[in-house]
């Protein structure tokens, strides 16, 4: 007999409590006739932000509250936060056929306009897949609308050779098997690759619960997002952007190995003082969760010019 208790609502409760304690409230906002974005905001829509606005963009995996729960408290003292669920994650959805990171960035740009921030610059932080989106957003809107950019654990130069190396490390046939796992073994593999110190033991019923309640939601659309990625495609070139950029990387990241962090820095501006790189020791692909104290301090030092 299986265990019927789901832990996902419990994690949801405590993650959302952190958001509410940081002064954020959830909203569901139609940004056009096709796309609706669920997001958490420090201020109600159209209300002028009392602090500089900061956008946090999550990666593939759980919804935004899970991925940024350790950041919203410390950041909320200095910034008016905008924390959206990307399209097809959490409560965000769209009938548009588009699936690229540029499509995700455009949806966030329209959200900013809806919030009355089309004439006020924002800073943006993106992790992993969210880093791809943050780069597109900064490049599309320019420095007049996007001030500072943080790219965390995000290989903007990812190509087929990198995907093949990841498949070899994970012993899987496709990257999608890690991003959208259907088996307990694949979840454990993903955790072992993503974390410097993964949990020693996770019961099977917990993993089955995660697969059932997290990874099966909008799975077809998420598969299309993976296939629609422009990062690493021959027809898309990563170029320097004019904003101040901070790259944060876990020293033991096995999803995007740390040597790629140096390549990204060289591409965005090796000799430029506008591009900085911070390597976090004893962390993997999720430094914001593995060492939130250090991650948050690095963020604040950069965003507040310390």
């Amino acid at each position: 007999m299986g265990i019927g208790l789901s832990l996902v609502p419990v994690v949801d409760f405590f993650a959302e409590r952190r958001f509410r304690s940081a002064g954020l409230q959830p909203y569901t906002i139609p940004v056009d006739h096709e796309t609706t974005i669920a997001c958490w905001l420090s201020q109600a829509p159209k209300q002028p932000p009392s602090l500089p606005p900061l956008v946090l963009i999550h990666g593939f995996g759980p919804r935004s509250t899970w991925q940024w729960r350790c950041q919203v408290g410390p950041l909320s003292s200095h910034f008016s936060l905008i924390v959206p669920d990307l399209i097809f994650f959490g409560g965000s959805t769209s009938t548009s056929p588009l699936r690229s990171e540029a499509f995700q960035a455009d949806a966030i740009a329209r959200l900013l306009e809806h919030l009355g921030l089309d004439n006020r610059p924002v800073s943006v932080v993106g992790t992993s897949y969210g880093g791809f989106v943050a780069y597109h957003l900064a490049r599309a809107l320019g420095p007049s609308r996007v001030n500072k950019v943080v790219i965390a654990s995000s290989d903007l130069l990812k190509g087929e050779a990198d995907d093949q190396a990841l498949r070899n490390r994970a012993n899987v046939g496709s990257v999608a098997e890690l991003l959208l796992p259907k088996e307990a073994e694949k979840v454990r593999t993903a955790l072992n690759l993503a974390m410097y110190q993964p949990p020693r033991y996770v019961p099977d019923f917990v993993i089955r619960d995660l697969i059932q309640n997290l990874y099966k939601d909008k799975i077809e659309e998420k598969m299309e997002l993976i296939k629609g990625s422009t990062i690493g495609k021959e027809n898309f070139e990563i170029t320097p952007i004019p904003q101040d950029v901070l790259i944060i990387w876990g020293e033991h990241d096995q999803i995007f190995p740390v040597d790629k962090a140096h390549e990204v820095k060289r591409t965005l501006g090796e000799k430029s003082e506008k591009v900085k790189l911070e390597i976090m020791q004893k962390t993997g692909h999720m430094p914001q969760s593995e060492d939130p104290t250090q991650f948050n301090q690095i963020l604040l030092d950069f965003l507040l010019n310390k």
Side-chain angles (χ1 to χ4, degrees), residues 168-231:
N168 291 342
R169 288 193 296 275
N171 192 27
V172 295
S174 71
V175 173
E177 292 182 47
L178 289 177
L179 297 179
L180 299 170
K182 298 179 181 179
E183 304 167 356
E185 175 188 356
K186 298 299 189 297
V187 175
R188 289 194 172 92
T189 298
L191 288 174
N192 288 335
L193 289 174
M195 301 181 69
Y196 171 61
Q197 291 183 321
R200 294 184 179 181
Y201 174 70
V202 181
D204 285 345
F205 82 89
V206 172
I207 292 182
R208 288 195 298 268
D209 178 41
L210 293 175
I211 293 173
Q212 182 64 38
N213 291 287
L214 288 182
Y215 294 111
K216 286 189 176 181
D217 181 46
K218 302 184 182 73
I219 190 168
E220 293 183 7
E221 291 88 347
K222 290 174 182 175
M223 285 291 295
E224 293 169 358
L225 290 177
I226 295 172
K227 294 176 182 178
S229 174
T230 56
I231 296 293

Side-chain angles (χ1 to χ4, degrees), residues 105-213:
D106 182 63
I108 294 176
R110 283 179 280 122
L111 172 65
L112 295 177
E113 292 175 0
H114 185 91
L115 297 177
L117 294 173
D118 45 335
N119 292 314
R120 179 163 181 175
V122 304
S123 292
V124 59
V125 180
T127 182
S128 195
Y129 176 78
F132 302 163
V133 178
Y135 172 82
H136 276 276
L137 184 68
R139 193 161 90 162
L141 297 186
S144 64
R145 291 191 58 194
V146 175
N147 184 11
K148 293 187 176 183
V149 183
V150 179
I151 305 292
S153 310
S154 186
D155 184 6
L156 301 178
L157 301 173
K158 180 181 72 67
E160 173 54 33
D162 299 293
D163 285 345
Q164 183 58 57
L166 176 57
R167 292 193 292 268
N168 291 342
R169 288 193 296 275
N171 192 27
V172 295
S174 71
V175 173
E177 292 182 47
L178 289 177
L179 297 179
L180 299 170
K182 298 179 181 179
E183 304 167 356
E185 175 188 356
K186 298 299 189 297
V187 175
R188 289 194 172 92
T189 298
L191 288 174
N192 288 335
L193 289 174
M195 301 181 69
Y196 171 61
Q197 291 183 321
R200 294 184 179 181
Y201 174 70
V202 181
D204 285 345
F205 82 89
V206 172
I207 292 182
R208 288 195 298 268
D209 178 41
L210 293 175
I211 293 173
Q212 182 64 38
N213 291 287

